[in-house]
Amino acid sequence: MTELLVGEALIGEEPEVAHIDLIIGEKIGPAGAAFANALAQPRLGHTPILAVIRPNLPTKPSTIIVPKVTIRDLEDAEKVFGPAQSAVAKAVADAVEEGLIPKEQAEDYVVIVSVFIHPRGRDYQRIYRYNYAATKLALQRALTGFPNVDKVLEEKDKAVHGMVGFRINNLKKPPYLEVALDIPDWRRVEAIIKALPRSDAIVLEAGTPLIKRYGVEVIQKIHQLRPESVVIADMKTLDVGNIEARMAGDATADVIGCSALAPIKTIERFIDECKKIGALSLIDTLNVSNPVDVLKKLKTKPDIVEIHRAIDIEEEAYAWGSIREIREVCGKVLIAVAGGIRLNSVEAALKAGADILVVGRAITASKDVAGAARAFLQRMGVEEVDQFRVMTDF
Amino acid sequence: MSEEEAEESVFHKKLKVKLKEKGREGRIIFLKEYLDFILRSNLNLPPDFPTFCREVMGLDERNGFIHIRIWNERNEVVEFVKSMNYEYRIDHYD
């Protein structure tokens, strides 16, 4: 065994749900030092205690329990020092009996178990059983090295934290349909959002007119209606890139758009700020004669490049020919195409290499918003399934 | 997706609400209660709240009712009037 192993597990239902974080390691080493320090330096409301199977029978390997939630009174203390303590002690002993922890090394190790007992938890049966199971699972995970890095990388963009309730979508599985909410009338926009199908493939754009009318706060309101959806703030920033990116980020935008007409310094500061706040940066090439030249000048490349034909010049041809060149300059980048995208141009756009199709009036001005959006998804070859999921076990 | 969501439409409608008092006072009570509803429900303030206030204060009163423009029935204003037991009905825009 290496010197210090870490395991975690969540088992059960509210309010008795058990959440265990644990460390197991050798007495000679950081785990042993932490064990000794914890026992020698108790803190008010979080007193570490030795896990005993029954009074006067501590478990092996020696284990201490540290309550995560502050113990306020005797009622709280009884839950931790009664069913939870006993469950943890039994789980550790059973792990030895079952061979998970080698019996001959039981004296060499120590275990530190951080337990969560909700103050509203009342049922001792459930507290015992959930904490027993969570401790066993956390031990097993610690000793088998679960999860490995590959598992974490595979799951990080798919999983949903149960207490968060929504997943941050990093747009890793194109194609996407970006519905541009350009109508500067909130009640109508609210109705459109509510009518759209719930699909991972749909992302919502707070269009520039909408933001100009109501301010960036409109992004938060969109997220209130669709917490699981990616919301793009089409800021069309031309100056003070970092300030505008921060404003949109503070208003919970997942993707923030800057104009490629802005000075290079502004775009770079915009992209840096997006990285800092964890949002994806989008550069909108509307009215830029040679977008590739602009992209070449940028030290840091954006996450998304939008090839945008203005509403006012929709009679002109699309400029999708530069997609290959943009990819060569930017490397890993998503390409969005915007400006008069209709059902009959979907296949050509995808064939040209587009990852995101930006559609506005063809959906928002439709008499059947949901039907129009579904027609686009279907034409894009995207199944209308919501992959929103909570992974609680493996 | 629920059947209700599947059949959602985005057409212009009128939410006709009977104010609890006539005139300016009734509108102020209505707006105060709407704000109270938003805050107590932990909702973000609607982005069009200032516009909405101006609109409500300026609407014609027809037999004690004001006619608010909405786009679908699953609307925050509709939720509010229901929860506060306002007398209301929803008509298609004519």
Side-chain angles (χ1 to χ4, degrees):
Chain A
M1 183 194 290
T2 52
E3 285 185 323
L4 186 146
L5 297 171
V6 177
E8 182 266 355
L10 181 80
I11 297 273
E13 295 170 350
E14 298 276 11
E16 284 86 7
V17 63
H19 182 225
I20 296 289
D21 298 312
L22 69 75
I23 287 172
I24 178 166
E26 292 167 348
K27 280 182 181 168
I28 311 297
F35 186 95
N37 278 333
L39 275 185
Q41 297 171 30
R43 284 174 299 128
L44 186 66
H46 300 269
T47 310
I49 51 165
L50 272 177
V52 296
I53 292 169
R54 62 165 169 75
N56 300 310
L57 185 64
T59 193
K60 290 294 165 129
S62 295
T63 300
I64 52 169
I65 296 175
V66 184
K68 280 182 219 189
V69 178
T70 308
I71 294 176
R72 304 160 304 171
D73 50 32
L74 272 178
E75 194 186 336
D76 288 349
E78 275 177 16
K79 290 174 211 161
V80 178
F81 303 153
Q85 179 190 207
S86 175
V88 169
K90 180 75 165 33
V92 172
D94 282 351
V96 175
E97 189 179 60
E98 290 165 18
L100 193 59
I101 301 170
K103 188 178 170 186
E104 58 280 8
Q105 290 175 291
E107 284 298 344
D108 299 336
Y109 300 147
V110 287
V111 185
I112 302 171
V113 183
S114 176
V115 299
F116 169 83
I117 308 289
H118 198 292
R120 284 202 302 273
R122 292 276 181 274
D123 187 331
Y124 276 28
Q125 277 277 346
R126 290 180 14 140
I127 292 174
Y128 179 93
R129 287 168 200 280
Y130 295 164
N131 278 280
Y132 174 89
T135 304
K136 278 282 282 294
L137 186 57
L139 271 173
Q140 186 193 29
R141 288 175 171 176
L143 292 161
T144 56
F146 176 89
N148 62 29
V149 180
D150 288 337
K151 184 60 150 176
V152 172
L153 294 180
E154 183 195 329
E155 288 291 328
K156 74 181 175 66
D157 296 322
K158 298 180 190 168
V160 177
H161 192 298
M163 289 178 181
V164 175
F166 60 88
R167 169 165 50 85
I168 298 296
N169 182 344
N170 288 329
L171 304 179
K172 292 282 173 65
K173 288 189 172 174
Y176 289 97
L177 174 64
E178 177 179 330
V179 179
L181 303 165
D182 282 323
I183 302 160
D185 178 336
W186 171 250
R187 263 172 276 161
R188 194 167 163 200
V189 167
E190 182 190 17
I192 291 165
I193 294 169
K194 286 189 170 175
L196 285 169
R198 289 189 180 264
S199 163
D200 285 354
I202 291 182
V203 299
L204 303 173
E205 177 202 305
T208 315
L210 191 66
I211 291 176
K212 282 191 174 175
R213 172 97 196 256
Y214 299 118
V216 289
E217 299 303 318
V218 74
I219 299 160
Q220 259 173 298
K221 196 66 185 173
I222 295 173
H223 259 152
Q224 183 192 300
L225 298 178
R226 287 283 169 102
E228 75 282 10
S229 290
V230 167
V231 179
I232 299 176
D234 186 7
M235 302 289 279
K236 290 200 175 63
T237 298
L238 282 168
D239 197 6
V240 289
N242 54 330
I243 294 175
E244 293 210 354
R246 175 60 65 100
M247 278 165 50
D250 285 350
T252 75
D254 300 289
V255 180
I256 309 168
C258 175
S259 170
L261 293 167
I264 293 297
K265 190 78 186 165
T266 298
I267 302 176
E268 286 179 343
R269 294 184 72 178
F270 174 88
I271 295 172
D272 288 345
E273 191 67 26
C274 285
K275 287 195 184 303
K276 209 187 287 179
I277 60 180
L280 299 180
S281 54
L282 178 150
I283 300 302
D284 183 343
T285 64
L286 179 69
N287 209 33
V288 176
S289 52
N290 194 342
V292 176
D293 275 355
V294 176
L295 295 167
K296 276 181 182 168
K297 287 178 193 161
L298 295 173
K299 281 185 214 141
T300 318
K301 308 301 180 196
D303 300 295
I304 305 169
V305 174
E306 182 169 309
I307 300 172
H308 195 161
R309 189 177 62 165
I311 289 174
D312 296 336
I313 56 161
E314 275 181 7
E315 68 281 1
E316 292 183 13
Y318 295 108
W320 297 338
S322 56
I323 291 180
R324 190 181 52 80
E325 215 179 337
I326 290 172
R327 287 197 195 281
E328 280 171 12
V329 172
C330 295
K332 198 176 164 190
V333 68
L334 290 169
I335 304 290
V337 294
I341 303 285
R342 299 283 181 270
L343 267 179
N344 59 14
S345 46
V346 167
E347 279 164 28
L350 294 176
K351 208 172 170 186
D355 301 301
I356 302 170
L357 304 187
V358 186
V359 180
R361 289 157 298 154
I363 292 174
T364 59
S366 166
K367 283 182 181 173
D368 177 9
V369 167
R374 283 198 193 96
F376 272 94
L377 291 176
Q378 200 175 21
R379 192 65 68 92
M380 289 163 68
V382 178
E383 278 184 66
E384 195 199 313
V385 286
D386 187 355
Q387 293 167 28
F388 184 80
R389 62 186 180 142
V390 180
M391 198 125 181
T392 55
D393 212 346
F394 293 90
Chain B
M1 183 186 296
S2 69
E3 207 168 295
E4 187 191 13
E5 277 178 296
E7 291 174 2
E8 193 59 74
S9 66
V10 187
F11 292 111
H12 215 165
K13 298 177 181 69
K14 270 181 183 173
L15 168 65
K16 300 182 177 177
V17 185
K18 184 157 192 183
L19 295 172
K20 290 179 179 172
E21 280 187 38
K22 283 192 171 182
R24 187 178 162 80
E25 202 51 38
R27 291 149 203 262
I28 291 172
I29 292 169
F30 178 83
L31 289 170
K32 273 185 179 173
E33 287 186 347
Y34 183 39
L35 183 60
D36 190 68
F37 165 80
I38 292 163
L39 297 175
R40 288 186 197 284
S41 312
N42 237 353
L43 300 167
N44 290 320
L45 206 61
D48 66 343
F49 191 67
T51 320
F52 183 70
C53 292
R54 278 199 307 276
E55 187 184 327
V56 168
M57 293 307 289
L59 286 172
D60 287 341
E61 200 167 315
R62 301 171 192 185
N63 301 323
F65 283 81
I66 53 168
H67 297 188
I68 298 169
R69 185 178 49 101
I70 59 168
W71 292 88
N72 78 1
E73 297 185 22
R74 289 189 308 124
N75 172 290
E76 220 167 69
V77 187
V78 178
E79 286 167 26
F80 156 68
V81 296
K82 277 184 191 168
S83 76
M84 300 301 288
N85 296 318
Y86 273 89
E87 187 184 338
Y88 76 98
R89 63 177 188 271
I90 296 169
D91 290 343
H92 281 271
Y93 210 81
D94 42 33

